[in-house]
Amino acid sequence: MAYFDHAATTPMLPAAIEAMTKALSTTGNASSLHTSGRRARRAVEEAREDIADALGARPSEVVFTSGGTESDNLAVKGIYWARRASGRRRVVATSVEHHAVLDTVQWLVEHEGAEVTWLEPDRLGRIRPEALRDLLDDDVALVTAMWANNEVGTLNPARELAEVAAARGVPFHTDAVQAVGAVPVDFTESGASALTLTGHKVGGPYGVGVLLLGRDVATTPLLHGGGQERDVRSGTLDVPAIVALAAAVRHAVTEQVARAGEVAALRDELIASVRRAVPDVVVNGDLEHRLPGNAHLTFPGCEGDSLLMLLDAKGIECSTGSACTAGVAQPSHVLLAMGVEPVAARGSLRFSLGHTSTMAEVRELAEVIGPVVERARTAGIAGMKRLAGTGGRTTAEV
């Protein structure tokens, strides 16, 4: 089985597995005052310090959460709520964000009286600082723009975007879930007010993440209870997961430069081999400012879902560039925002590589992609002919 879906989740690193296994054999609530509790608290604080050091933050800026979705929600809702009282009710968000941000912003609009201005990317999926500058005014509560796009892999100029926001006194949040461990990420140097990361994208466990949150950034909690994390996030801390996350972050950041070169070389060979088999394939995203392990490809005349299942039957695992809502395939909102036609957007796949990827996997894909695309195109033509024969109606309607 060739695994090309590291952007969805990447296998746990041996160092993280070892750290988590060891921590699972101990007992203690990190909020308890007895010996076991203090031991658990010490493990959490050592993990906090390690993550802070690896990502250029202060330990007090590391807020543990259940993952990227919670961190995004806490940043976007929490900062908006804290600043709404001063009359700032507008959120500026890019139209190519992960749904953890998009849906959170939309919820604020529908339930909390927020206004939203969508910041559009260029045709490569990149957000331009000058485009953000034109949208800012004194009514903006928050700017949120992802560091690296989870679909097409385009990298945004996070530092420049943060500087533009700071010049107008607006907090800047960035979803760096795909960036940490793939490209250099330094919280202090970025100028961000809040930054999201999660464990299962960097070789850590599921269900644990971090919001790096500046000490001076007012944030209203989502969860109320024990106030374990700076009174911003309540809940009993998952000590084994936190310890494993710290081990994964440290390893991913330490190995980032060397590993990025290796993964980028594999990605380039993947693209080249697919092009040899399918000459009209289109590479989406910014070819220069790009995640090293991302290859987002459009196959003209194909449906992404068909390609996905045909490849899966051949032992190749990747992901489609479309979201599925209520069983109906929809074109990727990222590609549509980039100006890609809906038909082309539906024929796209994301191949993402990571720390376990090998040249042998790339060769496996190269051997099957040509016949798979040919079969998908043949099936697509047959389907269009059947539909044409019913006057454009579906079989159920006929």
Side-chain angles (χ1 to χ4, degrees):
M1 185 71 72
Y3 184 73
F4 293 108
D5 205 15
H6 290 264
T9 195
T10 196
M12 280 187 71
L13 290 158
I17 294 173
E18 181 181 356
M20 189 169 191
T21 301
K22 182 178 179 181
L24 284 168
S25 65
T26 63
T27 301
N29 186 318
S31 297
S32 297
L33 299 179
H34 47 59
T35 300
S36 294
R38 293 196 304 273
R39 182 173 57 242
R41 170 58 63 178
R42 183 166 58 250
V44 167
E45 295 310 317
E46 288 174 353
R48 194 188 309 275
E49 291 173 4
D50 205 14
I51 291 172
D53 181 66
L55 297 175
R58 293 181 292 180
S60 59
E61 295 173 323
V62 177
V63 177
F64 291 113
T65 68
S66 64
T69 296
E70 184 189 344
S71 292
D72 283 340
N73 272 259
L74 176 56
V76 175
K77 291 177 181 174
I79 295 174
Y80 171 79
W81 283 331
R83 289 170 59 81
R84 178 176 55 181
S86 62
R88 295 174 180 262
R89 307 183 72 89
R90 186 157 64 95
V91 176
V92 176
T94 86
S95 60
V96 293
E97 295 295 308
H98 188 279
H99 276 286
V101 170
L102 291 180
D103 292 357
T104 299
V105 171
Q106 191 59 41
W107 186 89
L108 288 174
V109 171
E110 295 173 357
H111 300 278
E112 296 294 309
E115 299 174 2
V116 60
T117 300
W118 297 110
L119 180 56
E120 300 296 337
D122 63 19
R123 296 188 69 84
L124 299 178
R126 203 159 194 252
I127 304 299
R128 301 293 178 178
E130 56 271 23
L132 172 60
R133 186 178 295 110
D134 293 341
L135 298 180
L136 295 184
D137 209 337
D138 294 337
D139 64 338
V140 177
L142 170 72
V143 172
T144 179
M146 65 198 334
W147 195 304
N149 188 266
N150 58 298
E151 288 195 28
V152 299
T154 295
L155 296 172
N156 285 316
R159 182 173 181 175
E160 289 85 347
L161 294 171
E163 289 175 350
V164 171
R168 296 303 299 262
V170 180
F172 175 77
H173 163 253
T174 183
D175 182 331
V177 161
Q178 297 293 335
V180 173
V183 296
V185 173
D186 186 291
F187 182 60
T188 300
E189 290 185 2
S190 74
S193 307
L195 181 150
T196 294
L197 67 112
T198 193
H200 68 111
K201 311 290 189 178
V202 296
Y206 301 98
V208 64
V210 163
L211 179 65
L212 295 180
L213 183 65
R215 289 292 305 182
D216 59 345
V217 181
T219 307
T220 301
L222 297 182
L223 305 177
H224 298 88
Q228 282 85 349
E229 294 292 280
R230 279 174 46 183
D231 287 328
V232 172
R233 198 272 185 180
S234 295
T236 300
L237 296 172
D238 187 340
V239 178
I242 287 171
V243 169
L245 171 61
V249 169
R250 171 59 68 184
H251 184 278
V253 170
T254 300
E255 300 294 323
Q256 183 268 316
V257 174
R259 189 59 187 159
E262 297 172 1
V263 172
L266 289 174
R267 177 205 61 199
D268 292 344
E269 177 56 30
L270 183 153
I271 293 173
S273 64
V274 172
R275 276 180 167 157
R276 286 192 291 270
V278 189
D280 61 347
V281 70
V282 177
V283 182
N284 299 306
D286 194 315
L287 297 182
E288 179 183 0
H289 306 286
R290 188 186 196 88
L291 288 171
N294 177 284
H296 195 278
L297 309 177
T298 293
F299 297 87
C302 297
E303 286 288 338
D305 291 341
S306 296
L307 285 171
L308 181 72
M309 299 312 298
L310 288 169
L311 285 171
D312 187 62
K314 298 290 187 180
I316 308 292
E317 295 181 329
C318 60
S319 65
T320 179
S322 64
C324 190
T325 304
V328 180
Q330 300 291 334
S332 159
H333 71 283
V334 174
L335 293 179
L336 294 180
M338 292 164 55
V340 177
E341 292 296 323
V343 172
R346 285 196 293 269
S348 302
L349 293 177
R350 181 188 67 186
F351 298 90
S352 52
L353 301 89
H355 66 95
T356 62
S357 298
T358 65
M359 186 60 73
E361 290 181 317
V362 173
R363 293 194 187 103
E364 284 184 54
L365 173 63
E367 290 175 1
V368 303
I369 190 64
V372 161
V373 170
E374 183 178 356
R375 182 176 176 186
R377 286 175 174 169
T378 301
I381 292 172
M384 286 188 290
K385 288 182 177 178
R386 286 196 300 271
L387 187 58
T390 64
R393 295 168 292 169
T394 66
T395 303
E397 293 171 325
V398 173

